[in-house]
Amino acid sequence: MTRVLVIDDEPQIVRALVINLKARHYEVDAAHDGATALRLAAARHPDVVVLDLGLPDMDGVEVIKGLRGWTRVPILVLSARHSSDEKVEALDAGADDYVTKPFGMDELLARLRAAVRRAEPVPGGEDEVVVDTAEFTVDLAAKKVNRGGKDVRLTPTEWHLLEVLVRNTGRLVSQKQLLQEVWGPSYGTETNYLRVYMAQLRRKLEADPAHPRHFITEPGMGYRFEK
Amino acid sequence: MTRVLVIDDEPQIVRALVINLKARHYEVDAAHDGATALRLAAARHPDVVVLDLGLPDMDGVEVIKGLRGWTRVPILVLSARHSSDEKVEALDAGADDYVTKPFGMDELLARLRAAVRRAEPVPGGEDEVVVDTAEFTVDLAAKKVNRGGKDVRLTPTEWHLLEVLVRNTGRLVSQKQLLQEVWGPSYGTETNYLRVYMAQLRRKLEADPAHPRHFITEPGMGYRFEK
DNA sequence: GTCGTCTTTGACGGAACCCTGACGGCCGCC
DNA sequence: GGCGGCCGTCAGGGTTCCGTCAAAGACGAC
């Protein structure tokens, strides 16, 4: 199911959007200020964001930049401002589309569908959904890890960390990038989190956790997943 | 360079677009009917398409479908029709954005940039990130060095130094520049650092560290990396 | 409220890394 | 030949970084 994050401080607009989206079987989260929005985005990983630029606590463009720091999720901007400059600024900050209020619900939904559609991975995707190693198997689509015929139970954070690493198989992922992708854009220095969770992943997946063969530490730089 | 295909039967609009796009260093192809457009798209593989829905020979939506049959190139629709149904139809047929005439050139260009940006491959595109030599291979994206089938382990400082040198393959890099890029702007005279780390790189990567073939010293000036 | 699970936090030993100084070789120059 | 500048090599010591453990805090289920 497609997950939408709606960010707007006007309750009636939020309500209208939520009703229409839910009726079309979207899963909807709502935030009424920028700080909540950024936190929710990090926690819930929406498939598309609908953002009103006029927020009480921060400039809408700052929200766009905050999101673009760590994700390419489509951002559809709503705004009462018709000025060309505003549109250009928002789009160049990383927004994908800009709709002026008042808007037609049909059009908005069509733009939403377009944004979601083009963000979809190529059909018959080139990216592997299942990654095999000698000791275990990761199924990114099913969100499952199998080891020795049994499913391994992972906590949400463990899974998220594993996912980022596996999607970058063979590549070094910096500690900052890991922290920001898993814990949110405001993190970046809390390397102790990584140490703890990397240890848990190794304990659950490595044959010999003390001498990891798949979750490799690059001191001072980050971690790397190898098949 | 980014290639744009403009499809419109009104010469003055085409001319305005072509002038503005070329001034911004886009490469521009133009078609004034749907058949030509489809042929040009297949032949030239544009990075983005600007399509006017009102064409003489065929319905604009048919052009969209014709393109979508084989490509995911971003399509930006122009139209004089403001009706919601038209927008929905075009977007659902596969358009990425819909701009109503008369439009502001600034806004159109911003939407064009947004369309091109999100179609870009994942950051750090496909461009040469792997550098080969006779003895070893440097993958700048994965931050990996392979030598004789085995990965070579480098410390952060070693990496940083190697990276600067490799990004300037064949060119002389001054000691001052190396020191400032690797150790920070307040360094510039601590050439002993360079001696130590250059030695470590040679020991790890050169076949005969005493007679380096890739990491070459230019006495009094700096170092150079050669393939 | 109580329990269980998950996350966050702090502390510690050990390993990895970076800086530093010393020494020797090579070369050009006085 | 002696000297100084420049570079390569090596090894020790201080510092940072990582793995590990344990316990407290947050959260939801019952």
Side-chain angles (χ1 to χ4, degrees):
Chain A
M1 192 150 68
T2 307
R3 198 197 311 273
V4 187
L5 172 59
V6 175
I7 312 169
D8 201 321
D9 64 329
E10 298 173 55
Q12 64 271 30
I13 292 194
V14 173
R15 211 161 53 86
L17 282 170
V18 170
I19 289 172
N20 272 285
L21 289 168
K22 286 202 171 159
R24 283 160 183 84
H25 304 105
Y26 289 90
E27 196 173 335
V28 188
D29 295 316
H32 52 279
D33 60 61
T36 312
L38 290 175
R39 201 165 41 71
L40 262 181
R44 304 273 292 162
H45 282 260
D47 299 300
V48 56
V49 173
V50 178
L51 168 66
D52 186 332
L53 281 193
L55 294 178
D57 63 332
M58 55 195 286
D59 186 5
V61 175
E62 291 307 313
V63 179
I64 298 176
K65 290 181 182 166
L67 288 169
R68 279 292 171 262
W70 60 277
T71 176
R72 287 162 61 97
V73 62
I75 302 176
L76 208 156
V77 165
L78 290 181
S79 171
R81 315 278 188 83
H82 290 248
S83 117
S84 174
D85 287 354
E86 296 252 351
K87 296 184 186 179
V88 171
E89 194 190 356
L91 290 167
D92 280 341
D96 287 81
D97 203 343
Y98 192 108
V99 179
T100 50
K101 295 198 262 191
F103 54 86
M105 188 56 75
D106 286 345
E107 177 184 344
L108 182 77
L109 290 171
R111 287 185 182 272
L112 199 85
R113 284 194 294 275
V116 172
R117 162 166 33 85
R118 79 184 151 238
E120 276 171 4
V122 187
E126 302 145 32
D127 38 337
E128 313 177 46
V129 187
V130 179
V131 177
D132 265 311
T133 75
E135 279 110 22
F136 56 91
T137 303
V138 182
D139 187 331
L140 290 170
K143 291 200 189 298
K144 270 190 182 179
V145 182
N146 197 295
R147 183 185 179 196
K150 285 188 198 159
D151 282 350
V152 181
R153 186 184 174 77
L154 295 184
T155 72
T157 309
E158 287 165 7
W159 171 259
H160 205 151
L161 182 59
L162 175 66
E163 192 175 5
V164 175
L165 286 168
V166 169
R167 287 198 196 282
N168 290 283
T169 299
R171 284 197 289 274
L172 173 73
V173 188
S174 73
Q175 340 190 77
K176 190 172 179 183
Q177 186 183 342
L178 284 170
L179 283 165
Q180 294 195 338
E181 293 222 21
V182 176
W183 279 270
S186 61
Y187 293 76
T189 56
E190 293 79 351
T191 57
N192 44 330
Y193 293 11
L194 287 178
R195 294 208 295 279
V196 171
Y197 277 90
M198 202 59 63
Q200 289 177 1
L201 278 182
R202 283 170 176 154
R203 192 168 337 127
K204 291 185 178 179
L205 300 178
E206 291 274 4
D208 178 5
H211 303 97
R213 297 189 50 229
H214 302 103
F215 300 94
I216 301 177
T217 305
E218 300 281 0
M221 301 199 286
Y223 293 86
R224 182 200 310 277
F225 172 76
E226 294 281 4
K227 280 192 188 178
Chain B
M1 193 150 68
T2 307
R3 197 197 312 272
V4 187
L5 172 59
V6 175
I7 312 169
D8 201 321
D9 63 329
E10 300 174 55
Q12 65 271 33
I13 292 195
V14 173
R15 207 161 55 85
L17 281 170
V18 169
I19 289 173
N20 272 284
L21 288 168
K22 286 201 170 161
R24 282 161 183 83
H25 305 103
Y26 289 89
E27 197 172 336
V28 188
D29 296 318
H32 52 277
D33 61 61
T36 313
L38 289 174
R39 200 167 37 73
L40 262 181
R44 305 274 291 162
H45 283 264
D47 300 301
V48 57
V49 173
V50 178
L51 168 67
D52 187 332
L53 282 192
L55 295 178
D57 62 333
M58 55 195 285
D59 184 4
V61 174
E62 291 307 313
V63 178
I64 298 176
K65 290 180 181 166
L67 289 169
R68 279 291 171 264
W70 60 276
T71 175
R72 286 164 60 97
V73 62
I75 302 175
L76 208 155
V77 165
L78 290 181
S79 171
R81 314 281 187 82
H82 289 249
S83 117
S84 175
D85 287 352
E86 296 253 351
K87 296 186 188 179
V88 172
E89 194 191 356
L91 290 167
D92 281 341
D96 288 82
D97 204 343
Y98 191 107
V99 179
T100 50
K101 294 198 260 191
F103 55 85
M105 188 56 75
D106 286 345
E107 177 184 344
L108 182 77
L109 290 171
R111 287 186 182 271
L112 199 85
R113 285 194 293 276
V116 171
R117 162 164 34 85
R118 76 183 152 236
E120 275 171 4
V122 196
E126 315 258 327
D127 34 316
E128 298 248 0
V129 279
V130 179
V131 177
D132 264 311
T133 76
E135 278 111 21
F136 56 93
T137 302
V138 182
D139 186 331
L140 290 170
K143 287 210 195 310
K144 254 203 216 175
V145 181
N146 197 294
R147 183 186 177 195
K150 284 190 196 159
D151 284 347
V152 181
R153 189 135 220 181
L154 296 186
T155 72
T157 311
E158 288 164 7
W159 241 112
H160 210 148
L161 184 58
L162 175 66
E163 199 171 355
V164 175
L165 287 169
V166 168
R167 289 199 194 279
N168 291 284
T169 298
R171 287 196 289 274
L172 171 70
V173 187
S174 74
Q175 322 190 90
K176 189 171 180 182
Q177 186 183 343
L178 284 171
L179 284 164
Q180 294 193 340
E181 291 222 26
V182 177
W183 278 269
S186 60
Y187 293 76
T189 56
E190 293 80 350
T191 57
N192 45 329
Y193 294 9
L194 287 178
R195 293 208 296 279
V196 171
Y197 278 91
M198 203 59 65
Q200 289 178 1
L201 277 182
R202 283 170 176 155
R203 188 164 347 122
K204 291 186 178 179
L205 300 179
E206 291 275 5
D208 178 4
H211 303 96
R213 298 189 47 227
H214 302 103
F215 299 95
I216 301 175
T217 306
E218 301 281 358
M221 308 186 59
Y223 294 86
R224 179 186 13 232
F225 172 76
E226 293 282 0
K227 279 194 188 179

